[in-house]
Amino acid sequence: MTVIEGIEGIEETAVADLWQETYARASRDVYRAVLLDLAASDPRIFAVDTDMGGLEDTFEAALPGQYVNVGIAEANLMGVSAGLAADGLVPFANTIASFAATRACEQVKVDIAGNNLPVRIVGTHGGFSAAHYGPTHHALEDVAILRTLPNLTVVVPADAAETEYVIRAIADTTAFPGPVYVRLGRKATPLVHDGPYEFRIGRADLLRAGHDVTIVATGPLPVCEALAAADLLAGRGIAARVLNMHTVKPLDEEAVLTAVRETAGLVTVEDHVLVGGLGSAVTELTAERSPCRVRRIGVPDGFHDEVGSERELLALAGVSAERIAEAAEEVVRHAAQGTFER
């Protein structure tokens, strides 16, 4: 199903069409297909499931000996996955993001991170992507919680294609011998690229060049809104650099510090509470290494009782292209004035 490799000789327009056809799907669907493809040639790879739906019809049907369903028991999911990893296997633990970070946090901390085991925790329904279920299914604090755990890599792919890059990369336990958390959404989201590109965990993806201000975004819709904001700013005479910071831990410090040197300041964007997520990671770095103007766009602190689509709740929270553009203009204006005030 992949078009990431083996496309030499194909015309550019054909590549774009194939890319769209392959990846215009939910990230979780692409993840399941890629996981099955990898496991078919690597018996160490196991899918450890929590009655999530989807894997039993595909992965279990094809590879029943590499599939374990622990039921709706997320703490047990992490313990079983840790045991498999300790025995030399490569378990992919599948659950909902909010359950991985909160209900099973102790087991992630003690069993997985504490032993630096190669468990790949894949949390779907990240951020507001399950907003139609109400606040019990909002996963707005998972990145904050999990990036504090030692040894744990935290990755938030921007779209379905990037999901494939991530899953193929972390299947390599030589390159990634420790635990990884991958945060996915629920429904299909727009594609960021229209063909293969250079991807590496831990290195930001430069989506748009710009010398006036830098927008640093993570996650599917935040990245889309960041690109839309850059278009708005271009119409206002401001050239915005856009970084897709798919890896929140380890953060690409070089990309951030280069942006600090070369632009007036930063705007961070995320589908996550403002406490502890990407914005916090960026400001922790800049405060210590290179103080600069930063505006953080994310979900305000508090519980959000509204029910709606992911886009609707993000807009209510102020995560929108217009708000990002306004924040970027503030950064540029205060840089010109030599002030840090809002």
Side-chain angles (χ1 to χ4, degrees):
M1 60 143 312
T2 181
V3 296
I4 285 177
E5 299 175 349
I7 61 166
E8 292 81 1
I10 300 178
E11 293 183 3
E12 185 175 340
T13 54
V15 170
D17 290 342
L18 183 58
W19 189 265
Q20 183 71 30
E21 178 183 348
T22 304
Y23 296 115
R25 307 162 59 194
S27 293
R28 59 178 179 162
D29 292 336
V30 169
Y31 155 64
R32 291 165 182 162
V34 173
L35 181 63
L36 177 56
D37 180 53
L38 291 167
S41 58
D42 187 346
R44 300 174 307 146
I45 294 177
F46 270 61
V48 190
D49 204 6
T50 52
D51 276 344
M52 284 286 289
L55 281 167
E56 71 278 12
D57 295 329
T58 55
F59 197 105
E60 182 185 21
L63 300 171
Q66 291 167 246
Y67 177 83
V68 180
N69 191 341
V70 301
I72 304 174
E74 289 78 13
N76 195 34
L77 167 75
M78 302 307 176
V80 169
S81 297
L84 292 171
D87 201 36
L89 302 174
V90 186
F92 281 73
N94 303 274
T95 187
I96 290 176
S98 58
F99 299 163
T102 54
R103 185 176 297 172
C105 184
E106 181 181 7
Q107 286 70 32
V108 176
K109 173 185 175 181
V110 176
D111 297 346
I112 296 174
N115 292 290
N116 198 23
L117 291 169
V119 175
R120 282 69 174 107
I121 303 167
V122 181
T124 62
H125 300 70
F128 272 138
S129 65
H132 59 294
Y133 288 139
T136 57
H137 281 62
H138 296 170
L140 298 169
E141 64 291 301
D142 55 325
V143 172
I145 293 169
L146 295 177
R147 80 178 184 90
T148 65
L149 300 183
N151 302 318
L152 191 64
T153 296
V154 177
V155 189
V156 188
D159 61 17
E162 194 158 86
T163 298
E164 175 160 358
Y165 276 116
V166 171
I167 299 305
R168 291 193 180 279
I170 64 176
D172 182 356
T173 54
T174 300
F176 296 96
V180 182
Y181 173 61
V182 181
R183 187 204 216 210
L184 303 180
R186 181 177 179 272
K187 291 186 175 182
T189 55
L191 297 178
V192 173
H193 293 277
D194 58 7
Y197 58 100
E198 186 177 356
F199 173 86
R200 191 173 75 200
I201 289 177
R203 187 176 65 189
D205 177 24
L206 177 63
L207 298 177
R208 192 76 57 83
H211 59 273
D212 291 322
V213 65
T214 299
I215 304 171
V216 186
T218 192
L221 294 186
V223 168
C224 291
E225 295 299 318
L227 289 169
D231 290 338
L232 291 175
L233 290 165
R236 302 171 191 176
I238 296 174
R241 180 177 307 181
V242 179
L243 297 176
N244 165 24
M245 194 64 72
H246 47 71
T247 308
V248 181
K249 182 186 178 184
L251 192 72
D252 187 343
E253 297 185 354
E254 181 180 355
V256 173
L257 295 175
T258 297
V260 172
R261 291 193 301 270
E262 297 180 351
T263 66
L266 313 175
V267 178
T268 64
V269 191
E270 57 195 312
D271 183 359
H272 189 277
V273 290
L274 288 170
V275 179
L278 172 69
S280 293
V282 167
T283 53
E284 288 162 12
L285 171 66
T286 58
E288 288 191 346
R289 299 278 299 278
S290 187
C292 68
R293 298 163 188 84
V294 180
R295 295 289 183 268
R296 295 178 301 143
I297 303 295
V299 181
D301 187 28
F303 291 101
H304 304 272
D305 295 331
E306 300 87 358
V307 175
S309 70
E310 183 177 12
R311 283 190 181 276
E312 288 170 342
L313 266 66
L314 283 174
L316 286 173
V319 183
S320 66
E322 183 56 45
R323 181 65 194 97
I324 297 166
E326 290 173 359
E329 287 179 306
E330 291 174 9
V331 168
V332 172
R333 182 173 65 254
H334 289 303
Q337 296 171 348
T339 64
F340 278 83
E341 292 79 7
R342 296 188 69 83

